[in-house]
């Protein structure tokens, strides 16, 4: 995957583009971590996909590899997504198309997600793929998704379009595809105008305990993706 960083008025735009579906393996999570490292002095970060796709999730080929490789992928997903979720600065997702499984997880981990309108799919379809949802992913979904929709979406692993993703709480707004990046930049800029220390402190109080518990569980026992 090619992950690039550009800066617009102090807002970093980190773009995922592998020329395909932006599927993540261990190396791609490490690449995203390095890109985020480069954003240390930026006011806010917009995580953006390529045209038509934000991310289709994990590289499913890895899931048929050795158990150690599956565990390594689960660890990489956990650490990177929790990093995004607890990033002290504003994090906004410019979801330019499909956001499936880990794609939805990364969008949920951001402070605001702008979904491209169109024939795109969102959702945590792990059940349909025969995968076990980590407890921290359920906690992340619970903090965003409407209570009356959570189990109806997660238990069958149902995918939905952008409108239903917004209605359920996966996304925070829907925009025409050509406006997604600019809407995300505008929202990131507005959040960056808030007191940085207060924003970081309140995010830490809202999310820090749950993130710390997830990381502690990661240290105690290997994560499980497959039953």
């Amino acid at each position: 995957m090619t992950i690039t960083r550009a800066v617009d008025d102090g807002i970093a735009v980190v773009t995922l583009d592998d020329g395909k579906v932006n599927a993540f393996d261990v190396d791609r999570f490490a690449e995203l971590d390095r890109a985020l490292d480069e954003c240390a002095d930026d006011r806010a970060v917009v995580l953006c996909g390529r045209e038509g796709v934000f991310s289709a999730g994990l590289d499913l080929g890895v899931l048929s590899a050795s158990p150690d490789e599956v565990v390594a992928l689960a660890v990489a997903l956990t650490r990177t997504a929790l990093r995004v979720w607890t990033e002290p600065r504003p994090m906004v997702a410019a979801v330019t198309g499909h956001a499936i499984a880990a794609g939805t997880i990364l969008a949920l981990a951001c402070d605001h997600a702008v979904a491209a309108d169109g024939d795109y799919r969102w959702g945590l379809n792990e059940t349909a793929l025969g995968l076990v949802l980590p407890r921290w992913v359920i906690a992340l979904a619970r903090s965003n998704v409407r209570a009356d929709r959570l189990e109806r979406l997660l238990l069958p692993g149902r995918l939905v379009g952008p409108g239903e993703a917004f209605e359920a709480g996966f996304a925070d707004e829907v925009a025409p595809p050509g406006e997604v990046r600019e809407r995300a930049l505008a929202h990131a800029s507005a959040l960056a105008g808030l007191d940085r220390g207060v924003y970081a402190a309140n995010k830490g109080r809202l999310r820090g305990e749950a993130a710390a518990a997830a990381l502690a569980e990661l240290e105690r026992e290997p994560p499980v993706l497959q039953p």
Side-chain angles (χ1 to χ4, degrees):
M1 183 184 295
T2 298
I3 299 179
T4 58
R5 170 180 168 271
V7 180
D8 187 332
D9 192 27
I11 309 297
V13 179
V14 176
T15 302
L16 316 174
D17 189 354
D18 66 356
K20 299 177 183 177
V21 296
N22 287 343
F24 277 91
D25 59 15
V26 171
D27 290 339
R28 300 296 76 75
F29 281 121
E31 189 178 356
L32 177 55
D33 283 335
R34 289 193 295 270
L36 294 175
D37 287 343
E38 295 175 0
C39 299
D41 296 325
D42 298 317
R43 299 167 57 225
V45 179
V46 170
L47 188 59
C48 185
R50 67 188 301 268
E51 184 178 353
V53 61
F54 181 66
S55 172
L58 300 179
D59 181 347
L60 296 182
V62 178
L63 298 179
S64 61
S66 71
D68 287 346
E69 289 176 288
V70 174
V71 168
L73 181 58
V75 169
L77 166 64
T78 302
R79 292 194 181 281
T80 300
L82 290 177
R83 174 184 181 167
V84 171
W85 196 40
T86 57
E87 165 56 49
R89 291 159 302 168
M91 288 283 301
V92 176
V95 183
T96 48
H98 298 291
I100 299 171
T104 287
I105 290 170
L106 287 173
L108 287 172
C110 290
D111 306 338
H112 187 88
V114 183
D117 197 10
D119 188 18
Y120 302 123
R121 291 292 174 263
W122 283 69
L124 300 174
N125 65 334
E126 278 76 2
T127 299
L129 295 173
L131 302 177
V132 177
L133 279 165
R135 291 184 183 88
W136 65 266
V137 173
I138 295 173
L140 178 60
R142 199 181 298 279
S143 71
N144 287 272
V145 178
R146 282 175 38 179
D148 64 335
R149 304 300 303 280
L150 184 71
E151 291 192 2
R152 295 180 185 180
L153 290 171
L154 270 60
L155 278 178
R158 189 163 70 87
L159 298 179
V160 299
E164 192 170 351
F166 166 68
E167 185 268 338
F170 284 133
D172 298 290
E173 62 176 296
V174 180
E179 297 179 14
V180 169
R181 185 178 181 276
E182 292 309 313
R183 292 267 195 101
L185 275 167
H187 197 85
S189 182
L191 291 178
L194 300 171
D195 183 283
R196 182 169 180 170
V198 171
Y199 190 89
N202 284 335
K203 185 187 283 193
R205 291 192 175 194
L206 284 165
R207 303 174 181 175
E209 185 175 346
L215 291 172
E217 183 177 357
L218 191 67
E219 294 299 325
R220 288 195 303 270
E221 57 186 80
V224 175
L225 287 178
Q226 298 166 317

